[in-house]
Amino acid sequence: MSDPPAQLIVVDDDPINRRLLASYLEREGHAVATANDGRAGWELVRSRPFDVVLLDVLMPEMDGYQVLERIRGDEDLRHLPVIMISSVEDMQSVVRCIELGADDYLPKPFNPVLLRARIAAGLSRKRLHDLEREYLEQVEHVVTAASAVEAGTFAPDALDGVAGRDDALGTLARVFSHMAAEVQARERALKRQVQELRIEIDRTRADRQVEEITGTDAFRDLQRRAAELRSR
Amino acid sequence: MSRVVAVHSFRGGTGKSNTTANVAVMAARRGLRVGVVDTDIQSPGIHVLFGIDQATIGRTLNDHLWGRCAITEAAVDVTAGLDPTLEGRVFLVPSSIDAGDIARVMHDGYDVALLHEGIRTLVDELRLDLLLLDTHPGLNEETLLSIAVSDTVVVVLRPDQQDYEGTSVTVSVARRLQVPHMLLVVNKTPAVFDHADVEERVRAAYDCEVAAVLPHSDDLMAYSSQGVFSLSRPDHPVAAMYDALAARIVG
Ligand SMILES: Nc1ncnc2c1ncn2[C@@H]1O[C@H](COP(=O)(O)OP(=O)(O)O)[C@@H](O)[C@H]1O
Ligand SMILES: [Mg+2]
């Protein structure tokens, strides 16, 4: 099973540069989307998930700095790897991009070896981050399940997703589910027993038994003699 | 005034003998002179808890009821064998474990006046503060006699459906015999039950005072055929409950 292609986006107002980059990246096996100015790039990045953004610095409408700033300011996108690509080579620009949170900076025209290495680094950062986020989400599932146990609303299959992991968290989820099921079973048993404490007496039948015992001459005799003995 | 207390239950195996023996010992620990009469003539057993066996049983309650001996001749002082440091005393009047004797009592029955007189004699001559009668389960004639001669009847029940109705019959019958005091003891209460809740429900169901709610105790069950639990495990929570029950029965 091979991994699905990485989703890249190239944002550049220069059509030649854009096409060059895109076709190179496609040959490398990636899926590539393009945008021809900063605003279109920003819209696209917001509209669906990407793994790495390649961003030109100087563009009409919205320049690379602005797009980068928006990405870093967005709750969902702040961890998205961004590689700035520009012919602007002055130190000032590089420093500004780094300060705004760019992961890398590549000069135009791009050097294929360098580009490949940076994309690979970006992708592995992204994958790590995705793993971490998924991990935290699943930890959150376990925490939620713990509250559910406390509230008595735990569903036995609530942790099935997490329990499938082959790491420590998976073990935790399996052991937890198992223990929660046992607690639930014990509580059910307890409820059953508490119901047994309801004292139900068939009064008619009990009265009949009392009559059978006390209605005889022997009993009346005993009653009389007991009263007599007591009064002495 | 001394008290004659019949310990009864509608069903067998409810814990009458263990309750009787433990209450007797706890009362003796409090310095009381305590008598125990095994009126479970059909299936005697409490002597085992007091460390008496077939070989050491001499005269019995049966002998007294047949006019063969005074009841005091059948009374054994078991204090030293239990615990020589007990402040009070424990006397046991055992019942015969001879099959022929048992059959004879079953067949002929005995006189309530003789039992009553025997009990009074025991109380007087042994200067007893408390006399406990361990009884046969159910409501046959012998058991009714024991209840009839008592000042107090303690009805032991287990908190399960099978016991509720029989206990209700027992309570009604004892009331018609005008036993002056009646106490309920709930025994073998499963740990999952809330004891205060059990006490309240039982009290309400029978309109009768609940003197103790004793737990089901594996420790007690494991030990009970060897002797009196409260003596071997004086620091056990169940021993404290028997002590409280003894205090409540003595009043
Ligand atoms: N509170 C208790 N917890 C556990 N087992 C008990 C308890 N009370 C009595 N038993 C056990 O129940 C059985 C019957 O007790 P026993 O006192 O002989 O009952 P009875 O005299 O009513 O037939 C014995 O094996 C005894 O160990
Ligand atoms: Mg018994």
Side-chain angles (χ1 to χ4, degrees):
Chain A
M1 193 181 86
S2 67
D3 288 338
Q7 302 290 325
L8 309 186
I9 175 168
V10 175
V11 187
D12 196 333
D13 61 324
D14 176 354
I16 296 182
N17 205 45
R18 202 167 58 230
R19 212 169 308 130
L20 217 65
L21 250 178
S23 58
Y24 171 77
L25 293 171
E26 272 162 359
R27 277 199 307 279
E28 288 283 296
H30 305 302
V32 186
T34 55
N36 50 17
D37 63 49
R39 182 169 305 282
W42 167 240
E43 296 300 337
L44 203 50
V45 162
R46 273 206 319 179
S47 69
R48 62 185 177 90
F50 286 99
D51 296 312
V52 174
V53 180
L54 293 140
L55 193 57
D56 184 22
V57 175
L58 296 182
M59 286 181 293
E61 284 298 317
M62 201 189 269
D63 64 22
Y65 302 123
Q66 285 173 295
V67 176
L68 178 59
E69 219 170 346
R70 290 198 177 192
I71 288 177
R72 290 296 175 250
D74 187 292
E75 186 63 37
D76 295 329
L77 300 175
R78 64 169 79 250
H79 296 283
L80 184 57
V82 177
I83 299 169
M84 306 301 291
I85 297 184
S86 176
S87 47
V88 181
E89 270 190 74
D90 67 307
M91 212 39 163
Q92 201 83 36
S93 166
V94 176
V95 169
R96 191 167 167 208
C97 287
I98 300 293
E99 277 174 355
L100 287 174
D103 294 271
D104 252 317
Y105 192 96
L106 279 178
K108 271 182 195 174
F110 67 88
N111 171 323
V113 178
L114 212 51
L115 178 63
R116 186 188 294 139
R118 304 247 143 122
I119 296 268
L123 283 176
S124 70
R125 241 188 334 269
K126 174 70 163 39
R127 200 164 307 126
L128 254 178
H129 177 258
D130 286 351
L131 278 176
E132 188 190 342
R133 192 171 55 192
E134 183 198 295
Y135 191 85
L136 289 176
E137 268 170 23
Q138 299 199 333
V139 167
E140 188 57 34
H141 279 326
V142 178
V143 172
T144 307
S147 312
V149 167
E150 217 167 40
T153 57
F154 179 74
D157 58 357
L159 288 180
D160 282 1
V162 190
R165 297 176 69 104
D166 56 7
D167 60 0
L169 184 61
T171 307
L172 175 66
R174 283 191 299 279
V175 171
F176 184 91
S177 291
H178 182 73
M179 278 168 39
E182 277 187 353
V183 167
Q184 279 183 326
R186 218 170 302 146
E187 276 173 358
R188 271 196 301 275
L190 190 125
K191 274 196 193 121
R192 268 201 303 279
Q193 275 169 308
V194 164
Q195 281 194 332
E196 275 175 14
L197 189 69
R198 286 190 8 240
I199 303 177
E200 282 160 4
I201 299 166
D202 183 336
R203 295 283 171 194
T204 324
R205 203 166 54 201
D207 287 350
R208 199 163 52 235
Q209 278 178 271
V210 172
E211 263 340 293
E212 270 166 29
I213 295 166
T214 60
T216 64
D217 287 343
F219 187 84
R220 276 188 286 274
D221 186 46
L222 177 68
Q223 226 171 3
R224 188 178 48 74
R225 297 182 69 183
E228 198 181 292
L229 292 169
R230 262 197 203 102
S231 67
R232 273 193 212 155
Chain B
M1 194 202 126
S2 124
R3 275 207 154 160
V4 181
V5 178
V7 180
H8 183 63
S9 69
F10 190 75
R11 278 199 304 164
T14 309
K16 280 183 303 299
S17 296
N18 275 278
T19 303
T20 306
N22 281 281
V23 164
V25 161
M26 287 320 217
R29 267 190 140 201
R30 291 169 166 259
L32 300 188
R33 295 172 66 85
V34 184
V36 175
V37 180
D38 193 352
T39 66
D40 186 356
I41 294 178
Q42 284 187 48
S43 46
I46 197 166
H47 58 276
V48 177
L49 298 178
F50 288 126
I52 304 280
D53 59 16
Q54 184 136 22
T56 49
I57 291 184
R59 295 291 201 175
T60 61
L61 176 65
N62 308 57
D63 292 314
H64 168 69
L65 295 175
W66 293 327
R68 288 181 187 162
C69 72
I71 195 159
T72 43
E73 288 177 65
V76 195
D77 186 339
V78 293
T79 317
L82 288 173
D83 175 2
T85 68
L86 277 180
E87 246 186 82
R89 295 221 125 353
V90 181
F91 300 93
L92 172 69
V93 176
S95 202
S96 174
I97 49 177
D98 178 272
D101 288 352
I102 293 173
R104 184 175 157 195
V105 176
M106 296 306 305
H107 184 262
D108 297 349
Y110 56 86
D111 186 356
V112 61
L114 265 178
L115 180 64
H116 183 262
E117 177 229 294
I119 284 167
R120 289 296 144 198
T121 306
L122 273 182
V123 168
D124 289 345
E125 301 210 354
L126 298 178
R127 289 174 289 116
L128 299 180
D129 302 300
L130 175 66
L131 179 60
L132 297 161
L133 307 178
D134 189 14
T135 65
H136 188 68
L139 289 168
N140 65 6
E141 217 172 304
E142 286 72 35
T143 299
L144 291 178
L145 294 182
S146 301
I147 294 177
V149 298
S150 301
D151 305 313
T152 298
V153 58
V154 171
V155 183
V156 185
L157 70 144
R158 290 163 58 162
D160 64 42
Q161 208 52 52
Q162 284 193 58
D163 255 14
Y164 295 144
E165 198 166 301
T167 299
S168 141
V169 173
T170 305
V171 167
S172 300
V173 170
R175 282 190 175 132
R176 294 209 188 175
L177 285 173
Q178 295 186 308
V179 180
H181 304 284
M182 188 150 39
L183 297 171
L184 298 179
V185 169
V186 184
N187 192 31
K188 301 192 180 183
T189 311
V192 293
F193 284 168
D194 172 48
H195 284 204
D197 183 46
V198 170
E199 177 175 339
E200 178 46 31
R201 284 172 192 244
V202 171
R203 193 203 58 71
Y206 300 102
D207 189 22
C208 181
E209 187 180 339
V210 175
V213 177
L214 303 168
H216 172 89
S217 162
D218 286 333
D219 294 336
L220 188 152
M221 197 162 77
Y223 184 76
S224 70
S225 51
Q226 300 167 48
V228 182
F229 182 72
S230 301
L231 277 182
S232 88
R233 302 283 298 278
D235 298 328
H236 197 282
V238 170
M241 293 184 186
Y242 280 126
D243 186 47
L245 175 59
R248 194 128 176 206
I249 286 174
V250 171

